[in-house]
Amino acid sequence: MNAHVTAVSSNGEYSFTKPNRESITLLTGLGVEGDVHAGVTVKHRSRVAQDPTQPNLRQVHLMHEELFAEVGEGGFEVAPGELGENITTRGIDLLGLPTGTLLRIGDAVLEVTGLRNPCVQIDHFQDGLLKQVVGRDEAGNIVRKAGIMSVVREGGVVRPGDPIEVELPSEPHRPLERV
């Protein structure tokens, strides 16, 4: 199956979920036009409280649609945009990409910066869902499944149905860490 976009979402107000859109415009070095998390410096409230001058490595949030089926097996119902992502994908192992991977989507180019660090807001959305998207592997390491974060290297319009092309960085590859 070819990697592609299944939905795009944005919200100009602080809210856990983001409404689906016909398209989103990505702005170089900023994020999604009109989205509350767009900017050169951090916009997530917890990050702003720590240090508002930090660079925004979380400009665009991508999530794999396959996760919705996985949590569905646990009795949870989740649709695109409901976990706060900007771009919902299908057919790409987002969590397996190395840091620095370039994603060409529509007219835009994103650089993968790391894993989303899910928070308790997910349980406020649906009680018990946080344990479905954060767990531990056999070795006891934390596994985060709630998507990846990126920055916009080249702006452009992204729409559902757009193909996703992956350009891996030079080796050695660095695994994704939370950002």
Side-chain angles (χ1 to χ4, degrees), residues 5-60:
V5 175
T6 60
V8 293
S9 310
S10 67
N11 198 338
E13 300 176 13
Y14 278 105
S15 172
F16 183 69
T17 62
K18 295 186 181 206
N20 295 155
R21 310 285 183 194
E22 289 184 22
S23 67
I24 55 174
T25 300
L26 303 183
L27 304 173
T28 303
L30 295 174
V32 180
E33 183 177 49
D35 192 84
V36 71
H37 294 113
V40 174
T41 56
V42 293
K43 300 302 175 197
H44 288 77
R45 290 176 174 166
S46 63
R47 307 289 167 118
V48 170
Q50 291 173 353
D51 177 3
T53 66
Q54 294 176 72
N56 188 2
L57 301 178
R58 301 164 57 102
Q59 294 174 359
V60 181

Side-chain angles (χ1 to χ4, degrees), residues 31-156:
V32 180
E33 183 177 49
D35 192 84
V36 71
H37 294 113
V40 174
T41 56
V42 293
K43 300 302 175 197
H44 288 77
R45 290 176 174 166
S46 63
R47 307 289 167 118
V48 170
Q50 291 173 353
D51 177 3
T53 66
Q54 294 176 72
N56 188 2
L57 301 178
R58 301 164 57 102
Q59 294 174 359
V60 181
H61 176 199
L62 295 93
M63 186 172 297
H64 51 296
E65 188 177 69
E66 292 86 350
L67 178 65
F68 304 156
E70 184 180 325
V71 300
E73 292 173 11
F76 297 91
E77 189 172 323
V78 179
E82 289 187 335
L83 293 181
E85 77 275 13
N86 300 112
I87 300 175
T88 310
T89 67
R90 184 169 249 329
I92 180 172
D93 178 12
L94 293 176
L95 304 178
L97 297 172
T99 302
T101 297
L102 297 180
L103 300 174
R104 298 181 186 285
I105 308 173
D107 301 325
V109 177
L110 299 175
E111 181 180 338
V112 176
T113 56
L115 295 167
R116 175 189 184 184
N117 190 30
C119 66
V120 72
Q121 286 186 347
I122 291 177
D123 272 347
H124 295 241
F125 173 66
Q126 288 184 38
D127 190 42
L129 184 56
L130 183 59
K131 286 186 179 180
Q132 299 289 311
V133 298
V134 178
R136 294 201 180 264
D137 64 15
E138 304 78 37
N141 300 310
I142 295 175
V143 176
R144 294 172 177 87
K145 302 179 194 177
I148 62 171
M149 307 308 284
S150 64
V151 294
V152 182
R153 290 294 175 222
E154 293 179 27

